[in-house]
């Protein structure tokens, strides 16, 4: 939600700061106040144009699109007709609606799927983003693998930093985009996200720290930087409290050592996968590191 001073708020949200915070609090899933608006948008994407017997055309639910939603999301509307007639297609759409209204994740996944067929600047994307924003949804319209998709509504500054950093180096940018997708899109995979975050930093840092290494890893680059930090310049200068190069080294070490799932720990109680929170933190950290290495902030001395 936008947070400008002159933005309208309902009377109940203006009575106290607590009421205001409750009103702007983001809501996951498909809350009751968003459900019908979201269905109106989704059902519109599930329609197609058909030719009429009188030479014109009309819009009606598309059995092909609805069946695709069922196949991709591995769900069933419970309707067994062939969808040849207008009445049958309407019935199929009603059955899908009943199915999605019982499962918020399936509902959002169907929206995400239909978004992927659109172009980023289309009015359909803008209409959906407005509805999600006004409903204070956790989700917003963003880019997933270059296509429109649902992504978590995070700080706009962080989002912009990630998108800008991705343009500085093509290879590191692609890896960072994959890390971002697995952390913040509907298709979450924390371990994959963390792995791509590390690889993005490796791709960005290797030309600066280990240009002759044919198999550079973040671990080896950390060792090289720790042993002879004077071999590199860093935009930040030493101040009275902290050596900036020590901070840079520490950030690289945090990212590297906390990907503990890349090896099997003998301790049977050790987690097998990184958590969602760890993956999100790793991606945000990687955004900064990739930016520093690809923008020239870190350079050979």
């Amino acid at each position: 939600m936008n947070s400008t001073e002159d933005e309208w708020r309902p009377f109940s949200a203006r009575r106290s700061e607590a009421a205001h915070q409750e009103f702007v609090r983001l809501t996951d899933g498909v809350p009751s106040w968003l459900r019908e608006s979201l269905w109106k948008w989704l059902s519109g994407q599930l329609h197609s144009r058909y030719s009429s017997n009188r030479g014109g055309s009309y819009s009606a639910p598309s059995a092909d699109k609805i069946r695709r939603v069922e196949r991709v999301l591995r769900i069933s509307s419970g309707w067994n007709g062939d969808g040849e007639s207008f009445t049958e297609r309407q019935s199929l759409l009603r059955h899908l609606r009943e199915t999605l209204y019982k499962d918020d994740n399936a509902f959002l996944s169907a929206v995400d799927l239909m978004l992927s067929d659109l172009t980023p600047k289309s009015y359909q994307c803008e209409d959906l983003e407005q509805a999600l924003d006004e409903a204070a949804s956790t989700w917003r319209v963003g880019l997933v693998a270059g296509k429109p998709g649902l992504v978590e509504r995070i700080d706009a500054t962080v989002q912009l930093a990630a998108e800008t950093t991705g343009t500085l180096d093509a290879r590191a940018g692609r890896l960072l985009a994959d890390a971002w997708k697995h952390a913040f899109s509907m298709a979450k995979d924390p371990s994959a996200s963390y792995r791509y975050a590390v690889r993005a930093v490796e791709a960005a840092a290797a030309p600066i720290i280990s240009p002759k290494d044919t198999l550079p890893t973040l671990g080896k680059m950390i060792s090289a930087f720790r042993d002879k930090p004077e071999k590199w310049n860093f935009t930040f200068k030493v101040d009275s409290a902290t050596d900036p190069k020590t901070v840079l080294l520490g950030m690289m070490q945090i990212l590297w050592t906390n990907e503990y799932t890349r090896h099997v720990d003998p301790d049977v109680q050790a987690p097998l996968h990184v958590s969602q929170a760890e993956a999100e933190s790793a991606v945000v950290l990687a955004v900064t590191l990739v930016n520093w290495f690809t923008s020239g902030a870190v350079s050979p001395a």
Side-chain angles (χ1 to χ4, degrees):
M1 293 287 284
N2 297 326
S3 57
T4 56
E5 294 249 340
D6 57 352
E7 186 175 355
W8 183 86
R9 291 283 183 265
F11 174 71
S12 59
R14 302 196 300 268
R15 301 189 68 179
S16 68
E17 179 60 25
H20 170 78
Q21 292 302 322
E22 177 63 23
F23 178 76
V24 299
R25 180 175 58 85
L26 298 180
T27 304
D28 200 359
V30 185
S32 58
W33 58 86
L34 175 61
R35 186 178 298 123
E36 294 304 323
S37 296
L38 200 60
W39 173 251
K40 180 180 180 181
W41 184 92
L42 177 60
S43 62
Q45 308 313 306
L46 293 173
H47 277 60
S48 291
R49 301 297 301 181
Y50 295 89
S51 298
S52 68
N53 295 331
R54 299 179 180 179
S57 65
Y58 64 95
S59 177
S62 167
D64 289 341
K65 290 182 179 180
I66 296 172
R67 293 304 191 197
R68 178 183 172 227
V69 169
E70 291 180 313
R71 293 192 302 271
V72 174
L73 302 188
R74 310 296 195 268
I75 61 174
S76 172
S77 66
W79 192 82
N80 299 318
D82 56 20
E84 291 297 325
S85 69
F86 176 82
T87 301
E88 288 180 330
R89 291 193 292 269
Q90 288 280 49
S91 180
L92 176 56
L93 187 64
R94 285 195 300 273
H95 276 72
L96 179 66
R97 172 177 170 163
E98 292 173 3
T99 299
L100 296 183
Y101 273 35
K102 299 174 184 176
D103 187 338
D104 284 3
N105 186 66
F107 200 158
L108 291 168
S109 295
V111 171
D112 189 51
L113 175 62
M114 300 314 295
L115 262 177
S116 68
D117 293 333
L118 301 173
T119 57
K121 299 297 184 180
S122 66
Y123 74 88
Q124 295 99 325
C125 289
E126 294 178 356
D127 288 348
L128 178 59
E129 173 58 21
Q130 180 178 350
L132 293 170
D133 181 62
E134 291 175 343
S137 172
T138 296
W139 301 96
R140 61 176 291 270
V141 178
L143 290 179
V144 179
K147 296 180 178 180
L150 293 179
V151 297
E152 285 194 86
R153 192 179 300 277
I154 60 175
D155 184 84
T157 303
V158 177
Q159 176 77 30
L160 180 61
E163 294 174 355
T164 302
T165 297
T167 66
L168 296 176
D169 180 275
R171 189 158 175 258
R174 287 197 300 271
L175 292 167
L176 195 59
D178 283 332
W180 192 270
K181 174 183 70 176
H182 288 302
F184 296 109
S185 74
M186 287 290 295
K188 287 184 171 61
D189 186 337
S191 293
S193 175
Y194 205 118
R195 183 169 62 252
Y196 279 115
V198 171
R199 292 180 64 194
V201 175
E202 288 174 338
I208 307 300
I209 297 180
S210 306
K212 296 181 181 180
D213 192 339
T214 57
L215 293 173
T217 68
L218 187 54
K220 289 194 288 184
M221 287 183 268
I222 288 170
S223 296
F225 195 91
R226 182 194 300 114
D227 292 343
K228 293 185 178 180
E230 68 275 7
K231 292 178 61 177
W232 292 276
N233 295 319
F234 190 25
T235 297
F236 293 108
K237 306 302 180 185
V238 177
D239 61 23
S240 60
T242 307
D243 178 357
K245 289 184 181 180
T246 300
V247 175
L248 171 60
L249 179 63
M251 292 171 65
M252 295 165 65
Q253 288 175 317
I254 287 174
L255 183 64
W256 177 248
T257 57
N258 280 276
E259 193 196 2
Y260 49 82
T261 58
R262 66 179 179 273
H263 301 300
V264 176
D265 194 315
D267 181 0
V268 295
Q269 301 299 321
L272 297 176
H273 305 284
V274 299
S275 68
Q276 178 64 28
E278 288 171 320
E280 292 178 6
S281 296
V283 173
V284 174
L285 179 56
V287 168
T288 299
L289 289 171
V290 169
N291 182 279
W292 281 345
F293 282 110
T294 56
S295 67
V298 184
S299 62

